[in-house]
Amino acid sequence: MTEGRAESTCAPARGTRPANRRQLVVLAAADLFYRRGYAKVGMGEVAEAVGIGPSALYRHFRGKQDLLGTVVGEAMGVMTDELAVAAPDDIARRLAVLGLEHRHVGVLWQREARHLDADRLAELRAATERIGARLAELLARRRPELTADEAALLAWCALAVTTSVSFHRLAPPEPGFTALLTELVTETIDAPIALPAAANPNRVRALATRSRREAVLAEATRLFARRGFAGVSMDDIGASVGIAGPSLYNHFAAKTEILSAVMYRGDEWLWMDMNRVFAAATDAEDGLRRLVDSYVRFVLEQPDLIQLLLSETAHLPESDRKRARSTQHSYIAEWMHLATRVHPEWDPVTARVRVQAAQTIANDVALIPRLRARAGIDAALRVLLTRLLGLRG
């Protein structure tokens, strides 16, 4: 759940005008948005990174939002072009290479895309759908026994593995890193999943607590997940609960306090589930399997919390932000510890890459409503995650 390292960019000498200035701007913006977050980067900082004045930047881009759309859109364009000429037997390596060459995209799409205007966001979502459809088509040719739904699920899971490297700082030496990521994509697209034909019935929330504080937390979680912390006001939360915005201050001193309470709850939920797993497990392998079951259940039941844990940590007050990131690092470290007990031949880097890939599959599926609601999705996710963690049977 942590953000990865960014590629460095070298600014040309000030006063020069290199032929690839536009591309240098895109690379610099990708690096800055990735490392610091879209909201904390100004156009002047992007201009400074490439040695030009801010006014020169606007000759290429209408503004920061246009620049973000270009960063994400160009990476998607490269993937579209690569998949257009891909064959069923070289999918995994192509995706691995693309994932490492455009390592920033996973974080930017997951965390920053909501800053785009509605038209640009719709355009990029359509491009993502086309990428998923093309990959599903290639998988159907690779594995004719798959149903259309199974091929589509594996396509999105393969893309999740590809972008999982965006969420950590590891940089193993090449060609080993590409080989490992290729192996993980291959494990994913060749996974023996089976989805039943029937769809899950729509879940209806029949009951709600009488506590006003709990209602505030529930509605704030939903709104923050859909619109982002910065896009939601106290009045919005109050209206959703059915009270005036100022009345919220009877329960929380500030909007950041609501976010902190929600994030703390999500982190503690994961740790409580992990403690139950450890108490029941008979050995490390059994513990890892139970941990997969627990995590799959959590992400499918609490997709809004997953969205916040992935994308809104930066909005927490500094002390809470440090605590949240430390807690998330420690949680992943427990997965790694179990994985290396089951596989003593794995070094910590291999374990982390595999754990991050497994968790990213679960997270991404949970955040796509049509996949999350699919009958049999929990069993399919368990198969996929256990394969990436080296478990069979």
Side-chain angles (χ1 to χ4, degrees), residues 265-286:
R265 174 169 292 187
D267 286 335
E268 288 303 299
W269 196 329
L270 287 171
W271 278 101
M272 288 173 67
D273 276 355
M274 178 177 283
N275 287 333
R276 281 195 288 266
V277 162
F278 286 179
T282 57
D283 56 27
E285 180 173 338
D286 181 51

Side-chain angles (χ1 to χ4, degrees), residues 192-392:
I193 64 166
L195 293 175
N200 275 340
N202 292 328
R203 295 177 181 175
V204 178
R205 184 178 177 182
L207 297 175
T209 64
R210 295 180 66 244
S211 164
R212 182 58 55 83
R213 185 178 187 277
E214 287 300 310
V216 169
L217 289 174
E219 287 304 307
T221 300
R222 183 181 64 83
L223 291 171
F224 292 158
R226 283 154 180 73
R227 291 157 53 184
F229 176 80
V232 177
S233 68
M234 291 290 269
D235 285 340
D236 294 330
I237 298 170
S240 185
V241 178
I243 62 176
S247 298
L248 291 177
Y249 294 101
N250 294 327
H251 305 280
F252 298 96
K255 190 174 67 162
T256 53
E257 189 174 300
I258 299 176
L259 180 63
S260 293
V262 170
M263 299 284 272
Y264 182 81
R265 174 169 292 187
D267 286 335
E268 288 303 299
W269 196 329
L270 287 171
W271 278 101
M272 288 173 67
D273 276 355
M274 178 177 283
N275 287 333
R276 281 195 288 266
V277 162
F278 286 179
T282 57
D283 56 27
E285 180 173 338
D286 181 51
L288 195 54
R289 290 183 186 278
R290 288 173 181 268
L291 193 54
V292 165
D293 290 345
S294 170
Y295 194 73
V296 167
R297 184 168 55 252
F298 175 78
V299 299
L300 293 178
E301 292 177 354
Q302 303 294 331
D304 289 342
L305 267 179
I306 284 295
Q307 179 67 71
L308 298 191
L309 291 170
L310 290 172
S311 64
E312 303 303 316
T313 303
H315 294 289
L316 292 169
E318 183 177 3
S319 60
D320 289 343
R321 183 168 63 251
K322 289 180 178 178
R323 179 204 58 78
R325 287 179 173 162
S326 175
T327 298
Q328 291 169 9
H329 291 163
S330 297
Y331 180 74
I332 290 174
E334 293 288 352
W335 281 65
M336 292 167 56
H337 176 65
L338 275 184
T340 53
R341 286 183 61 186
V342 176
H343 301 283
E345 72 278 12
W346 289 358
D347 58 54
V349 171
T350 298
R352 174 62 191 276
V353 172
R354 284 181 170 272
V355 165
Q356 192 72 58
Q359 289 188 356
T360 303
I361 282 181
N363 297 341
D364 282 11
V365 167
L367 295 178
I368 300 175
R370 69 177 184 276
L371 296 182
R372 182 175 73 243
R374 189 69 174 77
I377 193 64
D378 51 349
L381 284 177
R382 284 194 290 271
V383 169
L384 287 158
L385 270 60
T386 53
R387 280 176 69 86
L388 293 188
L389 295 172
L391 303 174
R392 292 292 186 271

